[in-house]
Amino acid sequence: MCIRDRTGTLRDVEMRSETMGYSLWGEVIEKREGQRYRIEKGLFTTCQCDDPDDRLPWSVSGDSLEVDLGADGEVRGARFLINDVPVLYIPRATFPASNERQTGLLFPRIGISNRRGVQVLQPFYWTVNKSQDVTLSFDVETAQRLGLVAEHRYAIDRRSNGEMQVMYFNEAIRGKADEVSIPGSEDVDVPENRWGVIGQHAYALGDSELYVDMLLVGDDVFLREINTFTL
């Protein structure tokens, strides 16, 4: 180990850095100049858990990892884990190694049902600035509808913040207007164009706080049929 340039090699190591926002585990960890690491039989994540024994929301493990913090990493014999459960194996892959928010595509949500057909919800995440971000999601349901969901999150200060979600769906895939049965009432016609708005805001007023919650929908069965709410 070299103290002067802060490099060295450690074995059977677990490293956590709250300042840099990362955790490393490995049989062999070689620290190079700066924040660059080579890990053998190890694991890397930027998720920070309050309890070290908690499951990690996500992590990357592999036979060997090359990690450049603040930039990206490369892994061979890669396994991508969610809640410590392997969900994907890739012989070789690169991954982001930054604890800063980044603009880009998020994992899609995919499902299938007799009523909706195949459903794919593909979100795009946009980092506007340090106090705002936006998620735009395109929804395709092959048996019923196409839709667009926009969600805006913001923080004015530590005590004033909020989020707003606006949704639009077109039901032309269904063909003619459909009807939905509601127990205890007559059947309701489903319109071709549907919308919804949901939001919440907290605003600091001196020692007091003002809260605003809003939920608006364009038809009586919107909440019964639409499953893309994220708030």
Side-chain angles (χ1 to χ4, degrees):
M1 178 176 292
C2 180
I3 302 298
R4 183 175 182 180
D5 56 13
R6 299 180 181 179
T7 62
T9 301
L10 300 173
R11 298 182 181 277
D12 298 323
V13 180
E14 177 180 334
M15 300 173 57
R16 296 177 184 270
S17 174
E18 295 183 0
T19 302
M20 299 297 296
Y22 70 87
S23 298
L24 296 174
W25 292 264
E27 291 185 4
V28 178
I29 297 182
E30 177 186 348
K31 185 183 183 303
R32 299 171 179 175
E33 292 187 9
Q35 292 296 324
R36 296 172 56 244
Y37 298 85
R38 183 179 185 278
I39 309 168
E40 294 182 8
K41 302 293 183 182
L43 178 148
F44 169 83
T45 183
T46 56
C47 293
Q48 298 295 296
C49 297
D50 295 332
D51 186 342
D53 295 328
D54 285 348
R55 290 188 174 187
L56 297 170
W58 77 269
S59 59
V60 176
S61 69
D63 298 330
S64 66
L65 295 89
E66 298 277 350
V67 180
D68 184 1
L69 292 177
D72 52 26
E74 181 178 313
V75 56
R76 297 175 185 270
R79 291 170 295 279
F80 181 72
L81 297 87
I82 297 178
N83 289 331
D84 294 342
V85 177
V87 297
L88 182 65
Y89 173 79
I90 302 176
R92 184 173 179 177
T94 59
F95 59 92
S98 173
N99 60 348
E100 297 292 332
R101 298 174 302 153
Q102 297 183 11
T103 297
L105 292 174
L106 302 178
F107 279 108
R109 188 176 79 183
I110 301 174
I112 186 170
S113 70
N114 293 334
R115 186 171 182 82
R116 301 176 189 278
V118 177
Q119 180 179 11
V120 179
L121 183 70
Q122 176 59 66
F124 173 79
Y125 180 75
W126 174 30
T127 304
V128 180
N129 53 42
K130 290 185 176 181
S131 59
Q132 297 184 76
D133 57 36
V134 173
T135 303
L136 298 174
S137 302
F138 185 59
D139 180 50
V140 178
E141 300 174 36
T142 57
Q144 287 200 327
R145 64 182 63 89
L146 300 176
L148 183 65
V149 182
E151 184 176 1
H152 178 216
R153 293 165 294 272
Y154 57 90
I156 301 172
D157 54 43
R158 290 182 179 273
R159 296 176 57 201
S160 301
N161 55 77
E163 45 192 317
M164 179 72 67
Q165 186 179 108
V166 179
M167 294 155 284
Y168 168 77
F169 297 91
N170 182 274
E171 305 282 328
I173 295 176
R174 285 183 171 184
K176 64 179 182 179
D178 201 354
E179 289 186 344
V180 175
S181 296
I182 299 179
S185 64
E186 298 180 355
D187 290 346
V188 177
D189 290 334
V190 176
E192 182 174 320
N193 297 294
R194 313 177 74 177
W195 59 270
V197 178
I198 182 173
Q200 56 191 35
H201 178 77
Y203 188 76
L205 297 172
D207 294 332
S208 303
E209 292 185 351
L210 172 67
Y211 294 95
V212 177
D213 291 313
M214 177 174 60
L215 174 60
L216 302 173
V217 293
D219 60 86
D220 292 338
V221 291
F222 186 93
L223 299 178
R224 180 183 294 270
E225 291 209 313
I226 305 299
N227 70 345
T228 56
F229 280 107
T230 59
L231 293 182

